[in-house]
Amino acid sequence: MFRAPGLTGYARIFSLIALNTGTVTASARTPTDQIRADAERLSHIVLEMQRCFVLRLCKELAPGNVSFPQFFLLAYLDRKEVLTMSAIAQKMGHTTAAASCLVARLENLDYVMRSVARDDRRKVMVCITPKGSALVRRIREEMVGNLVKILNHLTPDEQKAWLQIYSKIYDYCQSK
């Protein structure tokens, strides 16, 4: 069967029809079909980029025995002063019990510290330790270095466009 590079699903079917009949052209595609084809190509690109970055991140996190969810929590805590266990659970999309297990592992590694709230002793507060902040800083520096290498392959206009696009995507993700 014919496989157009980077095309799956409907986009591949339209490409196959165009090849077999010679009657369907790219201009005959609806905007929805084009958006779908573009989204499928972007999904492939995003997955490959994630694989690339996750492999590097995995190598960095392995020595400290920190999982991805634990690192993401550390990175989030590094931007906040202190969070309640329920806020952590909500941010991570976990139950409070699951968040507590996540925090316990980080606490055992001295990356976070738990305490009780002064106004309500039932409330568990979590903050990152200097050791946890150092890990986040080190990983972020590695990521920045990798992004600099990528940005050096782009023109200044492409660099600006990439940042603008990713900023919009970030804003969209934050609103969900």
Side-chain angles (χ1 to χ4, degrees):
M1 180 175 163
F2 167 75
R3 288 209 180 260
L7 298 181
T8 58
Y10 293 118
R12 188 182 313 126
I13 292 168
F14 285 116
S15 295
L16 184 59
I17 292 168
L19 278 177
N20 288 341
T21 65
T23 58
V24 177
T25 63
S27 62
R29 295 171 97 181
T30 67
T32 303
D33 295 335
Q34 186 60 51
I35 288 172
R36 173 72 188 197
D38 291 346
E40 288 180 2
R41 177 72 179 128
L42 281 169
S43 74
H44 173 74
I45 291 168
V46 167
L47 287 173
E48 282 300 308
M49 287 175 57
Q50 285 178 336
R51 184 191 61 79
C52 178
F53 283 113
V54 166
L55 283 174
R56 287 192 178 117
L57 186 59
C58 187
K59 289 176 186 171
E60 280 292 315
L61 293 178
N65 297 316
V66 175
S67 69
F68 294 118
Q70 290 166 343
F71 176 74
F72 295 133
L73 174 57
L74 281 174
Y76 188 69
L77 281 169
D78 197 48
R79 291 181 305 194
K80 306 288 182 183
E81 283 187 31
V82 65
L83 288 175
T84 64
M85 195 61 73
S86 56
I88 290 171
Q90 182 181 13
K91 180 69 178 170
M92 301 298 292
H94 294 324
T95 63
T96 306
S100 184
C101 289
L102 195 74
V103 168
R105 175 80 175 121
L106 291 171
E107 189 175 34
N108 288 338
L109 294 168
D110 285 331
Y111 290 134
V112 300
M113 186 174 67
R114 283 194 254 196
S115 61
V116 295
R118 291 177 192 213
D119 60 338
D120 184 350
R121 297 194 52 80
R122 295 170 296 172
K123 222 186 262 186
V124 176
M125 309 303 286
V126 180
C127 66
I128 193 166
T129 64
K131 182 180 176 183
S133 287
L135 175 67
V136 171
R137 244 186 340 273
R138 189 169 51 80
I139 299 294
R140 281 202 176 135
E141 279 303 313
E142 174 78 18
M143 292 174 77
V144 167
N146 290 328
L147 287 168
V148 166
K149 290 174 190 174
I150 292 170
L151 287 168
N152 282 328
H153 289 283
L154 302 175
T155 67
D157 287 341
E158 289 169 333
Q159 293 170 6
K160 286 179 189 175
W162 190 27
L163 182 58
Q164 288 173 336
I165 291 166
Y166 267 61
S167 293
K168 281 186 177 184
I169 293 168
Y170 175 82
D171 291 344
Y172 172 79
C173 291
Q174 293 301 303
S175 70
K176 297 296 169 198

Coordinates of all heavy atoms in Angstrom, one line a residue, residues 31-74:
P31 N -10.7 23.0 4.4 CA -9.8 23.5 5.4 C -9.7 22.5 6.6 O -8.7 22.4 7.2 CB -10.4 24.8 5.8 CG -11.2 25.3 4.6 CD -11.7 24.0 4.0
T32 N -10.8 21.9 6.9 CA -10.9 20.9 8.0 C -9.9 19.7 7.7 O -9.2 19.3 8.6 CB -12.3 20.4 8.2 OG1 -13.1 21.5 8.5 CG2 -12.4 19.4 9.4
D33 N -9.9 19.3 6.5 CA -9.0 18.2 6.1 C -7.6 18.6 6.2 O -6.7 17.9 6.7 CB -9.3 17.7 4.7 CG -10.7 17.1 4.5 OD1 -11.2 16.6 5.5 OD2 -11.2 17.1 3.3
Q34 N -7.3 19.8 5.8 CA -5.9 20.3 5.9 C -5.5 20.5 7.3 O -4.4 20.1 7.7 CB -5.8 21.7 5.2 CG -4.3 22.2 5.1 CD -3.4 21.2 4.4 OE1 -3.7 20.8 3.3 NE2 -2.3 20.8 5.0
I35 N -6.4 21.0 8.2 CA -6.1 21.1 9.6 C -5.8 19.8 10.2 O -4.9 19.6 11.0 CB -7.2 21.9 10.3 CG1 -7.2 23.4 10.0 CG2 -7.0 21.7 11.9 CD1 -8.3 24.2 10.5
R36 N -6.6 18.8 9.8 CA -6.4 17.4 10.3 C -5.1 16.9 9.9 O -4.4 16.3 10.7 CB -7.6 16.5 9.8 CG -7.5 15.1 10.1 CD -7.7 14.8 11.5 NE -7.4 13.4 11.8 CZ -7.8 12.7 12.9 NH1 -8.5 13.4 13.7 NH2 -7.5 11.5 13.0
A37 N -4.7 17.0 8.6 CA -3.4 16.5 8.1 C -2.3 17.3 8.9 O -1.3 16.6 9.2 CB -3.4 16.8 6.6
D38 N -2.4 18.6 9.0 CA -1.4 19.3 9.7 C -1.3 18.8 11.2 O -0.2 18.7 11.7 CB -1.7 20.8 9.7 CG -1.5 21.4 8.3 OD1 -0.9 20.7 7.4 OD2 -2.0 22.5 8.1
A39 N -2.4 18.6 11.8 CA -2.4 18.1 13.2 C -1.8 16.8 13.3 O -1.0 16.5 14.3 CB -3.9 18.1 13.8
E40 N -2.0 15.9 12.4 CA -1.4 14.6 12.4 C 0.1 14.7 12.2 O 0.9 14.0 12.9 CB -2.0 13.7 11.3 CG -3.4 13.3 11.7 CD -4.0 12.3 10.6 OE1 -3.3 12.0 9.6 OE2 -5.2 12.0 10.8
R41 N 0.6 15.6 11.4 CA 2.0 15.8 11.2 C 2.6 16.4 12.5 O 3.7 16.0 12.9 CB 2.3 16.7 10.0 CG 3.7 17.1 9.8 CD 4.5 15.9 9.2 NE 5.9 16.3 9.0 CZ 6.9 15.7 9.4 NH1 6.8 14.5 10.1 NH2 8.1 16.1 9.2
L42 N 1.9 17.4 13.1 CA 2.4 18.0 14.3 C 2.5 16.9 15.4 O 3.4 17.0 16.3 CB 1.5 19.1 14.7 CG 1.8 20.4 14.0 CD1 0.7 21.5 14.3 CD2 3.2 21.0 14.3
S43 N 1.5 16.0 15.5 CA 1.5 15.0 16.5 C 2.8 14.2 16.4 O 3.4 13.8 17.4 CB 0.2 14.1 16.5 OG 0.3 13.2 15.4
H44 N 3.2 13.8 15.2 CA 4.4 13.1 15.0 C 5.6 13.9 15.5 O 6.5 13.4 16.2 CB 4.5 12.7 13.5 CG 5.8 12.1 13.2 ND1 6.2 10.8 13.6 CD2 6.9 12.6 12.6 CE1 7.4 10.5 13.2 NE2 7.9 11.6 12.6
I45 N 5.6 15.1 15.1 CA 6.8 16.0 15.5 C 6.8 16.2 17.0 O 7.9 16.0 17.6 CB 6.6 17.4 14.8 CG1 6.8 17.3 13.3 CG2 7.6 18.4 15.4 CD1 6.5 18.5 12.5
V46 N 5.7 16.4 17.6 CA 5.7 16.6 19.1 C 6.2 15.4 19.8 O 7.0 15.4 20.7 CB 4.3 17.0 19.6 CG1 4.1 16.9 21.1 CG2 3.9 18.5 19.1
L47 N 5.7 14.2 19.3 CA 6.1 12.9 20.0 C 7.6 12.7 19.8 O 8.3 12.3 20.8 CB 5.3 11.8 19.4 CG 3.9 11.7 19.8 CD1 3.1 10.6 19.1 CD2 3.8 11.4 21.3
E48 N 8.1 13.0 18.7 CA 9.6 12.9 18.4 C 10.4 13.8 19.3 O 11.4 13.5 19.9 CB 9.9 13.0 17.0 CG 9.6 11.8 16.1 CD 10.4 10.6 16.6 OE1 11.6 10.6 16.8 OE2 9.7 9.5 16.9
M49 N 9.9 15.1 19.4 CA 10.6 16.1 20.2 C 10.5 15.6 21.7 O 11.5 15.7 22.4 CB 9.9 17.4 20.1 CG 10.3 18.1 18.7 SD 9.4 19.7 18.5 CE 9.9 20.6 19.9
Q50 N 9.4 15.2 22.1 CA 9.3 14.7 23.5 C 10.2 13.5 23.8 O 10.9 13.5 24.8 CB 7.8 14.3 23.8 CG 6.9 15.5 24.0 CD 5.5 15.0 24.3 OE1 5.1 13.9 23.9 NE2 4.7 15.9 24.9
R51 N 10.2 12.6 22.8 CA 11.1 11.4 23.0 C 12.6 11.9 23.1 O 13.3 11.5 24.0 CB 11.0 10.5 21.8 CG 11.9 9.3 21.9 CD 11.9 8.5 20.6 NE 12.5 9.2 19.5 CZ 13.9 9.4 19.4 NH1 14.7 8.9 20.2 NH2 14.3 10.1 18.4
C52 N 13.0 12.9 22.3 CA 14.3 13.4 22.3 C 14.6 14.1 23.7 O 15.6 13.8 24.3 CB 14.5 14.4 21.2 SG 16.1 15.2 21.2
F53 N 13.7 14.9 24.1 CA 14.0 15.6 25.4 C 13.8 14.7 26.6 O 14.6 14.8 27.6 CB 13.0 16.8 25.5 CG 13.4 18.0 24.7 CD1 12.7 18.4 23.7 CD2 14.6 18.7 25.0 CE1 13.1 19.5 22.9 CE2 15.0 19.8 24.3 CZ 14.2 20.2 23.2
V54 N 12.9 13.7 26.5 CA 12.6 12.8 27.6 C 13.8 11.9 27.8 O 14.3 11.6 28.9 CB 11.3 12.0 27.4 CG1 11.3 10.8 28.4 CG2 10.1 12.9 27.7
L55 N 14.5 11.5 26.7 CA 15.6 10.6 26.8 C 16.8 11.4 27.5 O 17.4 10.8 28.4 CB 16.1 10.2 25.4 CG 15.3 9.1 24.8 CD1 15.8 8.8 23.3 CD2 15.4 7.8 25.6
R56 N 17.0 12.6 27.2 CA 18.0 13.4 27.8 C 17.6 13.6 29.3 O 18.5 13.6 30.2 CB 18.2 14.7 27.1 CG 18.9 14.6 25.8 CD 19.3 15.9 25.3 NE 20.0 15.8 24.0 CZ 19.6 16.2 22.9 NH1 18.5 16.9 22.8 NH2 20.4 16.0 21.8
L57 N 16.4 14.0 29.5 CA 15.9 14.2 30.9 C 16.0 12.9 31.7 O 16.4 13.0 32.9 CB 14.4 14.7 30.9 CG 13.8 15.1 32.2 CD1 14.6 16.3 32.8 CD2 12.4 15.5 32.0
C58 N 15.7 11.8 31.1 CA 15.8 10.5 31.8 C 17.3 10.3 32.3 O 17.5 9.8 33.4 CB 15.4 9.4 30.9 SG 15.2 7.8 31.7
K59 N 18.2 10.6 31.4 CA 19.6 10.4 31.8 C 20.0 11.3 33.0 O 20.8 10.9 33.8 CB 20.5 10.6 30.6 CG 20.4 9.6 29.5 CD 21.3 9.9 28.3 CE 21.0 8.9 27.2 NZ 21.6 9.3 26.0
E60 N 19.5 12.5 33.0 CA 19.8 13.4 34.1 C 19.1 13.0 35.4 O 19.7 13.1 36.4 CB 19.3 14.8 33.7 CG 20.2 15.5 32.8 CD 21.5 15.9 33.5 OE1 21.5 16.4 34.6 OE2 22.6 15.7 32.8
L61 N 17.9 12.5 35.3 CA 17.1 12.2 36.5 C 17.6 10.8 37.1 O 17.4 10.6 38.3 CB 15.6 12.2 36.2 CG 15.0 13.5 35.9 CD1 13.6 13.4 35.6 CD2 15.3 14.5 37.0
A62 N 18.0 9.9 36.3 CA 18.4 8.6 36.8 C 19.3 8.6 38.0 O 19.1 7.8 38.9 CB 18.9 7.7 35.6
P63 N 20.4 9.4 38.0 CA 21.3 9.3 39.1 C 20.6 9.7 40.4 O 21.0 9.2 41.5 CB 22.4 10.3 38.8 CG 22.4 10.5 37.3 CD 20.9 10.2 36.9
G64 N 19.6 10.5 40.4 CA 18.9 10.9 41.6 C 17.7 10.1 41.9 O 17.0 10.4 42.9
N65 N 17.4 9.1 41.0 CA 16.2 8.3 41.2 C 14.9 9.1 41.3 O 14.1 8.8 42.1 CB 16.4 7.4 42.4 CG 17.6 6.4 42.2 OD1 17.7 5.8 41.2 ND2 18.4 6.3 43.3
V66 N 14.8 10.1 40.5 CA 13.6 10.9 40.5 C 12.8 10.6 39.2 O 13.4 10.6 38.1 CB 14.0 12.4 40.5 CG1 12.8 13.3 40.4 CG2 14.8 12.7 41.8
S67 N 11.5 10.3 39.4 CA 10.7 10.1 38.2 C 10.2 11.4 37.6 O 10.4 12.4 38.1 CB 9.4 9.3 38.7 OG 8.6 10.1 39.5
F68 N 9.7 11.2 36.4 CA 9.2 12.4 35.7 C 8.1 13.2 36.5 O 8.2 14.4 36.7 CB 8.6 12.1 34.3 CG 9.7 11.6 33.4 CD1 9.6 10.3 32.8 CD2 10.8 12.4 33.0 CE1 10.6 9.9 32.0 CE2 11.8 11.9 32.2 CZ 11.7 10.7 31.7
P69 N 7.1 12.5 37.0 CA 6.1 13.2 37.8 C 6.7 13.9 39.0 O 6.3 15.0 39.4 CB 5.1 12.1 38.3 CG 5.2 11.1 37.2 CD 6.7 11.1 36.8
Q70 N 7.7 13.2 39.7 CA 8.4 13.8 40.8 C 9.1 15.1 40.4 O 9.1 16.1 41.0 CB 9.3 12.9 41.5 CG 8.6 11.7 42.2 CD 9.5 10.6 42.6 OE1 10.6 10.4 42.0 NE2 9.0 9.8 43.5
F71 N 9.8 15.0 39.2 CA 10.6 16.2 38.7 C 9.6 17.3 38.4 O 9.9 18.5 38.7 CB 11.4 15.8 37.5 CG 12.1 17.1 37.0 CD1 13.2 17.6 37.7 CD2 11.6 17.7 35.8 CE1 13.8 18.8 37.2 CE2 12.2 18.9 35.4 CZ 13.3 19.4 36.0
F72 N 8.5 17.0 37.7 CA 7.5 18.0 37.4 C 7.0 18.7 38.6 O 6.8 19.9 38.6 CB 6.4 17.5 36.5 CG 6.9 17.0 35.2 CD1 6.5 15.8 34.7 CD2 7.8 17.8 34.4 CE1 6.9 15.3 33.4 CE2 8.2 17.3 33.2 CZ 7.8 16.1 32.7
L73 N 6.8 17.9 39.7 CA 6.3 18.5 40.9 C 7.4 19.4 41.5 O 7.1 20.5 42.0 CB 5.9 17.4 41.9 CG 5.6 17.9 43.3 CD1 4.5 18.9 43.3 CD2 5.2 16.7 44.2
L74 N 8.6 18.9 41.5 CA 9.7 19.8 42.0 C 9.9 21.1 41.2 O 10.0 22.1 41.8 CB 11.1 19.0 41.9 CG 11.4 18.0 42.9 CD1 12.7 17.2 42.6 CD2 11.5 18.6 44.3

